[in-house]
Amino acid sequence: RHPRDSQGELVGRPLRVAYWLVPCEKSSSQLLALIDQLAKQFNAPRFHPHITLYAGDFGANEQPELIVDSAARNCAGFTLAVQGLGFGSDYTKSCFLKVSRPPNLFDLTERFRRLSQHPGDYSPDPHISLLYGQVPESLRAEVEARLTLPTEVSLNQVWAVSLPAFVRGKADIERWRKVVEQAGIKLE
């Protein structure tokens, strides 16, 4: 649960909330090792591996606990095939795992969107980031050759995370706060 004042309002209410699909312990350990390796190499922030299911504005009466409970009810976890490594120019998607995209993953995203107080036009792009920063094009082949990627990732937790309106650097990432965790979604 996240802190509330005497009137029940969130203390330090976040501007945005993201709902993450989070790997099981074994997959998290493997991914955190890759994230740590890249963070050291590129002097980048560390973060918990995840797939963003939905992110949007945080409404005044938003109740992430109820949204997670309702959206993830009767939801099976996912085991997704890793389809390679990708690179991009976005700060939060500079080096990432490409993963399979089963239709029920998009169904889960839609459940979170519909349950949000201010549903937005979030476009899901399932991937698992390994680095927040920049990888110069001249180093991408070297990075790809040095990483040992898993063949699949199992995800069985849903988290709600408060975040600032924009994520542009390490200071923004350090402001992320997990406000809800629902573990133990059964893997099929």
Side-chain angles (χ1 to χ4, degrees):
R1 297 189 62 91
H2 43 289
R4 295 183 184 264
D5 65 17
S6 60
Q7 276 71 48
E9 292 294 318
L10 288 173
V11 175
R13 197 170 72 74
L15 297 172
R16 294 182 58 77
V17 63
Y19 297 97
W20 290 355
L21 187 58
V22 177
C24 68
E25 189 175 330
K26 180 181 176 188
S27 290
S28 282
S29 296
Q30 294 171 328
L31 296 171
L32 283 167
L34 295 172
I35 290 167
D36 285 345
Q37 180 181 343
L38 290 168
K40 285 178 189 173
Q41 182 177 355
F42 292 98
N43 192 29
R46 290 171 170 78
F47 54 91
H48 200 84
H50 63 276
I51 291 175
T52 301
L53 294 166
Y54 177 78
D57 293 337
F58 197 91
N61 298 314
E62 196 94 26
Q63 296 184 3
E65 306 92 347
L66 296 177
I67 292 172
V68 168
D69 184 56
S70 182
R73 185 178 296 128
N74 301 320
C75 175
F78 296 85
T79 298
L80 305 178
V82 172
Q83 299 174 327
L85 194 65
F87 296 93
S89 59
D90 291 347
Y91 179 76
T92 58
K93 194 178 175 191
S94 55
C95 179
F96 58 94
L97 292 181
K98 300 177 198 174
V99 295
S100 57
R101 298 169 174 225
N104 55 344
L105 184 62
F106 293 95
D107 295 343
L108 186 56
T109 289
E110 182 58 20
R111 280 189 248 161
F112 279 101
R113 190 194 69 73
R114 277 195 332 265
L115 290 166
S116 294
Q117 189 176 9
H118 301 291
D121 291 332
Y122 181 78
S123 297
D125 180 18
H127 65 279
I128 300 174
S129 289
L130 299 177
L131 177 71
Y132 290 169
Q134 294 302 319
V135 179
E137 284 193 39
S138 60
L139 295 178
R140 291 178 180 182
E142 175 189 328
V143 167
E144 192 164 6
R146 291 176 62 199
L147 294 179
T148 303
L149 305 180
T151 57
E152 64 183 22
V153 176
S154 295
L155 304 106
N156 70 342
Q157 301 176 59
V158 175
W159 292 4
V161 179
S162 67
L163 13 122
F166 299 99
V167 178
R168 297 184 202 124
K170 185 176 183 177
D172 296 323
I173 292 167
E174 290 170 349
R175 291 176 49 206
W176 289 356
R177 297 289 176 263
K178 178 173 45 170
V179 294
V180 177
E181 175 180 347
Q182 181 173 331
I185 295 172
K186 293 184 175 124
L187 293 170
E188 289 187 330

